[in-house]
């Protein structure tokens, strides 16, 4: 079946602009995660959605970052007033439940000029 | 000091070689250990998962955990060019809410040359 998909695959933006990244999880997966992967750093957890529960936003690095998820489907990660340090690959993953194997999408490569 | 240390490489080996990839960690509370493989321009995929100490084998791959030394290893036997990827270790203290509690290594880049 279809895996996790993300769009766009690449995004180049200018400093100060807002960007919106999209994730389509595997159908039926109630858990959804966003991560950031910067050069020379390990994966950083950003935010977690589980069904209709309140999201775990503990990994968001600043209030410029926000995310939404509609039910158990699509999620969008929004970065406002982008900075050069936001340049990274943003990965989305989904799993049946929080302790099950997570499946990653291919990521969105964000470059902030 | 980072909680999880992993040499980023790159590591280059000839086809058929035995590859050893390693991570060290500082938190003795870690109990769940994972190895992920990440191909270029793709997301990570789970390769091996072990709980506590010991070995686990799956085909050409063996994961080893030495909690006394706070050291984990992934061995790849008869390496193939298709094994060329970045290998990331990840670990956590507890299973509940496991995925978002994972602490990740930087990843080791491996190239297997035909």
């Amino acid at each position: 079946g279809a895996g996790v998909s993300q769009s766009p695959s690449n995004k180049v933006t200018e400093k100060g602009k807002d960007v919106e990244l999209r994730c389509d999880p595997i159908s039926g997966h109630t858990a959804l995660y966003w991560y950031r992967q910067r050069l020379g750093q390990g994966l950083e957890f950003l935010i977690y959605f589980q069904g209709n529960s309140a999201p775990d936003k503990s990994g968001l690095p600043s209030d410029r970052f926000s995310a939404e998820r509609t039910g158990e489907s699509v999620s969008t990660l929004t970065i406002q007033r982008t900075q050069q340090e936001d340049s990274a690959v943003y990965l989305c993953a989904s799993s049946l439940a929080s302790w099950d194997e997570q499946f990653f999408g291919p990521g969105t490569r964000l470059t902030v000029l | 000091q980072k909680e999880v240390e992993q040499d980023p490489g790159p590591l280059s080996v000839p086809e058929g070689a035995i590859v050893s990839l390693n991570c060290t960690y500082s938190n003795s509370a870690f109990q769940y250990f994972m190895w992920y493989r990440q191909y270029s321009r793709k997301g990570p995929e789970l390769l091996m998962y072990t709980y506590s100490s010991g070995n686990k084998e799956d085909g050409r791959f063996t994961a080893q955990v030495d909690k006394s030394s706070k050291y984990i290893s992934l061995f790849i036997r008869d390496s193939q060019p298709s094994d060329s990827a970045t290998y990331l270790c990840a670990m956590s203290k507890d299973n509940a809410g496991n995925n978002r509690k994972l602490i990740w290594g930087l990843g080791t880049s491996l190239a297997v040359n035909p």
Side-chain angles (χ1 to χ4, degrees), chain A residues 10 33 35 37 40-43 45 48 56 95 98-102 104-106 109, chain B residues 2 36 38 41-46 88 95-102 104-106:
Chain A
N10 286 284
Y33 315 78
Y35 296 90
Q37 189 173 33
Q41 299 190 25
L43 257 71
F45 162 74
Y48 161 75
D56 177 356
S95 63
S98 63
W99 54 86
D100 287 319
E101 179 181 354
Q102 55 184 333
F104 284 84
R109 186 172 298 271
Chain B
K2 291 183 180 178
Y36 283 79
Q38 185 174 20
R41 304 281 174 164
K42 301 286 187 185
E45 56 179 333
L46 182 63
L88 301 102
N95 197 36
N98 189 337
N99 288 324
R100 67 188 188 277
K101 305 290 188 187
L102 288 173
W104 296 79
L106 291 181

Side-chain angles (χ1 to χ4, degrees), chain A residues 5 7 19 29 32 41 46 60-62 66 74 77 86 94 103 112:
Chain A
S5 61
S7 61
V19 295
H29 280 193
L32 186 146
Q41 299 190 25
L46 297 177
L60 294 178
S62 78
S66 63
V74 170
L77 176 70
D86 299 334
S94 70
F103 295 86
V112 182

Side-chain angles (χ1 to χ4, degrees), chain A:
Chain A
V4 177
S5 61
Q6 292 186 246
S7 61
S9 54
N10 286 284
K11 176 72 176 177
V12 180
T13 190
E14 293 178 349
K15 179 180 171 181
K17 301 275 182 145
D18 296 354
V19 295
E20 193 171 277
L21 313 179
R22 177 187 167 106
C23 171
D24 279 272
I26 293 172
S27 178
H29 280 193
T30 61
L32 186 146
Y33 315 78
W34 283 98
Y35 296 90
R36 179 169 69 176
Q37 189 173 33
R38 290 190 286 188
L39 270 177
Q41 299 190 25
L43 257 71
E44 299 173 72
F45 162 74
L46 297 177
I47 188 168
Y48 161 75
F49 295 91
Q50 172 64 57
N52 293 318
S53 301
D56 177 356
K57 304 179 183 179
S58 60
L60 294 178
S62 78
D63 59 8
R64 296 187 296 105
F65 288 72
S66 63
E68 293 184 348
R69 186 181 187 193
T70 310
E72 293 185 355
S73 61
V74 170
S75 176
T76 55
L77 176 70
T78 301
I79 309 173
Q80 295 178 309
R81 304 180 303 282
T82 51
Q83 305 293 312
Q84 288 184 327
E85 62 263 28
D86 299 334
S87 296
V89 176
Y90 289 83
L91 291 161
C92 175
S94 70
S95 63
L96 278 171
S98 63
W99 54 86
D100 287 319
E101 179 181 354
Q102 55 184 333
F103 295 86
F104 284 84
T108 294
R109 186 172 298 271
L110 175 66
T111 304
V112 182
L113 300 176

